[in-house]
Amino acid sequence: MSNLLDINSDIHTLSPLTLAFVGDSVYDLLVRQHLVSLANRPVKELNQMKVTLVNCKSQADSMKVIMDSLSSDELDVFKRGRNVKVNTPSKHSSIADYHAATGLEALFGYLYLSGNTDRIKELFMLIIENSEVF
C-alpha cells in the first residue's frame, strides 16, 4: 500500500525528528481509529481516552511490546529516533520514556513514508493485542 499523497521523500536522508514528526500523526490516527471502532462515544470522551494512549509513557510501553518483532532496519530507525538529542525534555514523563516514544514515532514515520502501511498495521495490532494500556 502507498501513502495518502503520491509524493516521495528520501527517507534515508530525513532526520529522526522529521520521521517522528510524521510518525506522531500516524500513531495518533491509528489510536483514534481503534477507539472509534470500539464504540460510538462523545468526542470529549474519545479525546480523553486518546490522551491516555498517545503520550510518552504509553508509547514507551508500546515500544516494549513490539521491540522483539522488529527487523534490523526497523530497530536501527527506532534507535536513531530514541538517541536523538532533544533540547526540550518532557514535563510529564521521564526522559527515558520520552526517548522511547520518539523512537516509536520515528519508526512509524519511517514505515509510513516508505509506503509500508501493512507493516504499520501489523505492529499496531501487536500493540493492541499485547499491551495493558489498550
Side-chain angles (χ1 to χ4, degrees):
M1 186 167 196
S2 64
N3 296 329
L4 293 172
L5 298 175
D6 291 328
I7 300 172
N8 293 321
S9 300
D10 185 358
I11 57 172
H12 301 292
T13 61
L14 296 176
S15 76
L17 289 178
T18 301
L19 294 173
F21 172 75
V22 173
D24 177 51
S25 293
V26 172
Y27 194 80
D28 185 83
L29 181 59
L30 290 166
V31 168
R32 287 172 186 250
Q33 183 175 356
H34 174 67
L35 291 175
V36 168
S37 73
L38 297 176
N40 189 15
R41 295 184 164 108
V43 173
K44 181 178 180 181
E45 186 178 334
L46 288 168
N47 192 56
Q48 290 170 339
M49 294 170 69
K50 189 240 357 156
V51 168
T52 66
L53 299 172
V54 182
N55 62 59
C56 292
K57 176 71 174 130
S58 293
Q59 288 176 301
D61 291 344
S62 294
M63 194 60 227
K64 291 173 189 171
V65 168
I66 63 171
M67 184 69 81
D68 292 337
S69 302
L70 299 182
S71 70
S72 60
D73 287 342
E74 292 167 345
L75 188 59
D76 288 345
V77 171
F78 162 73
K79 287 179 179 179
R80 283 181 51 220
R82 180 196 64 193
N83 295 337
V84 72
K85 182 174 176 3
V86 292
N87 295 326
T88 310
S90 175
K91 296 176 187 172
H92 306 289
S93 65
S94 73
I95 193 71
D97 284 348
Y98 184 82
H99 283 291
T102 303
L104 176 78
E105 291 169 351
L107 173 62
F108 274 72
Y110 170 82
L111 292 171
Y112 176 77
L113 291 173
S114 330
N116 201 345
T117 53
D118 287 339
R119 182 63 173 153
I120 292 171
K121 291 179 207 173
E122 183 180 326
L123 291 175
F124 191 72
M125 291 309 296
L126 276 173
I127 292 168
I128 289 172
E129 293 165 1
N130 298 293
S131 176
E132 293 179 16
V133 294
F134 277 90

